[in-house]
Amino acid sequence: MERLVITGGAKLSGEVEVSGSKNAALPILMGCVLAKSPVTLSNIPHLKDVTTSLQLLATLGAQIMIDERMNITVDASELKDFTAPFALVKSMRASILVMGPLLARFGEAHVALPGGCAIGSRPVDIHIKGMEAMGADIRIEDGFIHAKAKRLQGADILMDKVTVTGTENLLMAAVLAEGVTHLRNAACEPEVTDLAIFLTKMGAKITGIGTDHLVIKGVDELNGVDYRVIPDRIEAGTYLAAAAVTGSTITVSNVEPVHLKAVLAKFIEAGCDISTSERSIKIDCRDRQLNPVNVETQPYPGFPTDMQAQFLVMNLLASGPGAIRETIFENRFMHVSELTKMGAHIKVEGNLAVTPGQDRLSGVTVKATDLRASACLILAALVAEGETFVEQIYHIDRGYELIEEKFHRLGANIQRLSH
């Protein structure tokens, strides 16, 4: 088992380059199944979830090539197997995204019910109902979703709630369907937009990209392209939050500031000095006491749920009371008990976490409970007195590339240990 040990108190400085977006890379990798010729992807992060996705594609029969610059070529022209096994799916919920492409191109998909972070109920019923509306015959048996269709048919689908993976799966199913599909109440996240742009470059016909109403006119086939995945906005936000809690100034590069509008507004409200260029963000929090902020998570373009844990740590160290309301997942305050071990004062009532503001935390041994909880524990450790040991860091390796190396280059006292 590995863990991180962090000694608090160091100031951060310098520049950190953001990796490619995990949440964009995973659906795009699954989208390679739709292409009849090889796809080459760049700016793919080297993460556990990416490795799992490649293992899944290889299990289906795809040919995978990776060069020294982490450019990945996926040739899914001759898939022989249409089953996504539980051994792979259990560790990564995004595996469900192979269902739409398999069903659309081959008329058959057998996908184990997904796993991933234990942050609340994330049912796949919207995926299933949408594909049934497109004519698929679906049954759930022995822990698997079994789906078949001679050829999917265009349909008018109103999703009950905004769902990123639901939108992505149905979008990929629709691009090869016969006729026109309307996806209403679609997710508008940059990662969904990136997938839609990728599909159009392969030959898909999609309008309404970036809005909550996607219109897809099915085509007969898609072909491979070269495509660069967008930067990871959540990784960028995490490093900005690290500068905020440590009273530091850093520059975050290889980022799309427009994807972080709601987050940057809260940094400014917290008293941070923010300046942006086309591909970078500079934050200056030197000699400043953070202001508390009230945050409510919302689907994009609102404040992202994946940044609430980081802002909870900012509020902990702010000059007064602040509140975080989580509206996306019902079980995403599991990190609160770990922060409490560090001396944090947090009152949780339902989906609301309130902090009075305080000026110190103490280093102890804590356990990461999910991906973003891992990040918030590292932020807390950067300012805690003494050493903090963060265990169960396999969660963080699912979403942050070389996190201890990047923080070390910024001046943090952090290292990875095996024990």
Side-chain angles (χ1 to χ4, degrees):
M1 296 289 288
E2 292 183 321
R3 59 179 177 170
L4 295 175
V5 57
I6 302 147
T7 303
K11 296 291 186 182
L12 306 182
S13 64
E15 181 175 317
V16 59
E17 183 175 341
V18 172
S19 300
S21 168
K22 174 185 85 88
N23 288 340
L26 300 185
I28 286 173
L29 281 167
M30 299 305 170
C32 294
V33 169
L34 292 161
K36 297 186 71 174
S37 53
V39 174
T40 298
L41 303 173
S42 59
N43 203 36
I44 299 291
H46 190 212
L47 300 170
K48 175 62 177 173
D49 279 7
V50 169
T51 301
T52 301
S53 297
L54 294 175
Q55 290 174 332
L56 174 55
L57 292 171
T59 297
L60 298 175
Q63 301 297 310
I64 311 290
M65 292 181 290
I66 306 174
D67 69 16
E68 67 280 359
R69 294 178 297 172
M70 196 58 187
N71 294 320
I72 298 175
T73 298
V74 179
D75 183 354
S77 57
E78 297 184 8
L79 296 195
K80 304 298 185 186
D81 195 331
F82 310 128
T83 299
F86 178 73
L88 293 174
V89 177
K90 69 177 181 180
S91 65
M92 188 186 71
R93 186 179 187 276
S95 302
I96 189 70
L97 290 171
V98 79
M99 182 177 166
L102 283 176
L103 190 57
R105 184 168 166 218
F106 299 102
E108 184 177 351
H110 309 278
V111 182
L113 290 168
C117 289
I119 56 174
S121 174
R122 300 197 283 187
V124 295
D125 59 317
I126 293 176
H127 306 237
I128 293 170
K129 288 177 182 177
M131 291 183 204
E132 285 179 332
M134 285 189 263
D137 177 28
I138 298 178
R139 73 182 197 280
I140 298 175
E141 192 173 84
D142 299 327
F144 273 80
I145 304 169
H146 301 277
K148 287 191 175 183
K150 286 187 177 180
R151 184 178 182 183
L152 294 174
Q153 302 294 310
D156 197 325
I157 301 169
L158 173 63
M159 288 174 277
D160 294 340
K161 61 183 292 186
V162 177
T163 161
V164 171
T165 56
T167 300
E168 291 167 341
N169 221 351
L170 296 178
L171 173 61
M172 289 190 284
V175 292
L176 294 180
E178 184 175 23
V180 177
T181 299
H182 293 262
L183 295 181
R184 304 180 191 272
N185 199 28
C188 304
E189 272 71 3
E191 297 78 15
V192 177
T193 294
D194 204 34
L195 173 63
I197 293 171
F198 166 69
L199 295 171
T200 59
K201 288 186 178 296
M202 289 203 298
K205 295 182 179 179
I206 306 168
T207 57
I209 294 174
T211 75
D212 64 358
H213 181 194
L214 295 171
V215 181
I216 307 101
K217 184 178 180 181
V219 297
D220 291 333
E221 65 178 34
L222 297 179
N223 292 294
V225 292
D226 292 351
Y227 194 75
R228 181 177 176 82
V229 172
I230 59 171
D232 196 309
R233 61 193 172 106
I234 304 303
E235 184 191 8
T238 299
Y239 287 113
L240 293 172
V245 298
T246 58
S248 305
T249 179
I250 66 169
T251 298
V252 179
S253 61
N254 186 38
V255 64
E256 298 279 358
V258 68
H259 294 165
L260 285 157
K261 274 189 174 182
V263 174
L264 295 182
K266 287 298 178 181
F267 276 116
I268 293 169
E269 187 180 331
C272 304
D273 182 32
I274 297 286
S275 56
T276 63
S277 67
E278 185 178 354
R279 299 281 292 176
S280 69
I281 303 170
K282 182 178 180 180
I283 183 169
D284 189 347
C285 299
R286 291 172 295 183
D287 303 318
R288 297 166 190 251
Q289 171 69 57
L290 290 174
N291 302 321
V293 295
N294 294 329
V295 168
E296 181 172 308
T297 61
Q298 295 288 346
Y300 191 84
F303 190 93
T305 180
D306 281 352
M307 281 299 301
Q308 63 95 331
Q310 298 89 317
F311 267 75
L312 181 61
V313 178
M314 288 174 58
N315 270 356
L316 273 176
L317 302 165
S319 59
I324 308 283
R325 186 178 298 277
E326 173 59 55
T327 71
I328 308 298
F329 296 119
E330 74 276 9
N331 194 25
R332 211 168 196 183
F333 285 138
M334 292 189 295
H335 47 278
V336 167
S337 61
E338 300 301 305
L339 290 170
T340 301
K341 294 178 185 177
M342 302 178 73
H345 302 296
I346 308 168
K347 183 178 182 181
V348 176
E349 295 181 351
N351 67 343
L352 186 69
V354 179
T355 51
Q358 60 191 87
D359 58 9
R360 66 184 298 272
L361 295 169
S362 299
V364 295
T365 297
V366 292
K367 294 181 179 180
T369 53
D370 63 71
L371 172 53
R372 303 309 168 184
S374 309
C376 90
L377 295 176
I378 291 174
L379 299 191
L382 290 173
V383 296
E385 296 177 2
E387 287 187 334
T388 300
F389 294 88
V390 182
E391 300 186 332
Q392 297 183 177
I393 60 171
Y394 56 86
H395 284 296
I396 207 161
D397 291 334
R398 291 183 47 236
Y400 290 92
E401 183 177 32
L402 303 173
I403 191 166
E404 74 277 9
E405 292 184 27
K406 290 185 179 183
F407 268 122
H408 182 73
R409 288 198 292 267
L410 289 173
N413 190 335
I414 180 173
Q415 59 182 316
R416 182 180 294 240
L417 301 177
S418 296
H419 69 101

